């Protein structure tokens, strides 16, 4: 299996786990862009949001809401999904970035 995030799900690559349930895994980004920078992924492999059933997307968003609560991101946060080449996606396993604990600029580059 060549997918990096599938290897993380299988435990072949170790990560700093933040949250886990039957369907979703969340871990700290290796190159954090904010004091909180968590990646939230489905345990099943989907290359991007367009290829992901809506009920699985909903499970990920439920997890994101729970993680934001657990990490006390009450001053706000940002959820990012980079999709495809123009979106800047570098890992082809669906993931959402959860960024928090600093004031973020808008728009991004
Ligand atoms: P993308 O650019 O595809 O939206 O985001 C991929 C993210 O995965 C990047 O923010 C990158 O820092 C992160 N990343 C890449 N390799 C690893 C890794 O081995 N471990 C962890 N925890 N994050 C990674
Ligand atoms: Zn994968």
């Amino acid at each position: 299996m060549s997918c990096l995030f599938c290897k993380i799900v299988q435990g072949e690559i170790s990560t700093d786990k933040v949250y886990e349930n039957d369907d979703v895994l969340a871990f700290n980004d290796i190159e954090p862009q904010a004091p909180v920078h968590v990646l939230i992924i489905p345990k099943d492999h989907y290359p991007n949001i367009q290829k992901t059933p809506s009920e699985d997307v909903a499970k990920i968003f439920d997890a994101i809401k729970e993680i934001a609560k657990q990490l006390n991101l009450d001053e706000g946060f940002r959820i990012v999904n980079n999709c495809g080449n123009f979106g800047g996606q570098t890992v082809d396993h669906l993931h959402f970035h959860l960024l928090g604990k600093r004031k973020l600029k808008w728009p991004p580059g």
Side-chain angles (χ1 to χ4, degrees):
M1 179 217 311
S2 62
C3 171
L4 175 67
F5 286 176
C6 282
K7 285 182 180 156
I8 286 175
V9 171
Q10 299 305 323
E12 287 173 37
I13 293 175
S14 64
T15 45
D16 198 0
K17 203 181 289 180
V18 172
Y19 175 93
E20 182 172 19
N21 65 29
D22 287 347
D23 307 297
V24 176
L25 180 67
F27 49 92
N28 286 321
D29 196 292
I30 206 167
E31 254 183 76
Q33 303 300 315
V36 167
H37 187 168
V38 176
L39 299 175
I40 302 95
I41 70 169
K43 288 186 175 178
D44 289 340
H45 180 91
Y46 300 112
N48 60 48
I49 193 167
Q50 298 294 63
K51 298 270 170 66
T52 308
S54 296
E55 53 267 34
D56 294 81
V57 176
K59 284 176 185 168
I60 296 167
F61 273 85
D62 284 345
I64 290 173
K65 287 161 70 175
E66 181 58 32
I67 295 162
K69 232 186 276 173
Q70 288 182 8
L71 297 179
N72 299 310
L73 303 183
D74 17 83
E75 285 191 272
F77 54 85
R78 183 172 294 167
I79 301 162
V80 174
N81 173 242
N82 298 324
C83 185
N85 182 29
F86 275 19
Q89 183 175 6
T90 60
V91 178
D92 290 332
H93 179 129
L94 177 67
H95 54 282
F96 291 85
H97 300 251
L98 174 64
L99 300 145
K101 300 275 186 193
R102 79 167 166 84
K103 178 85 174 140
L104 297 164
K105 292 198 182 92
W106 189 263

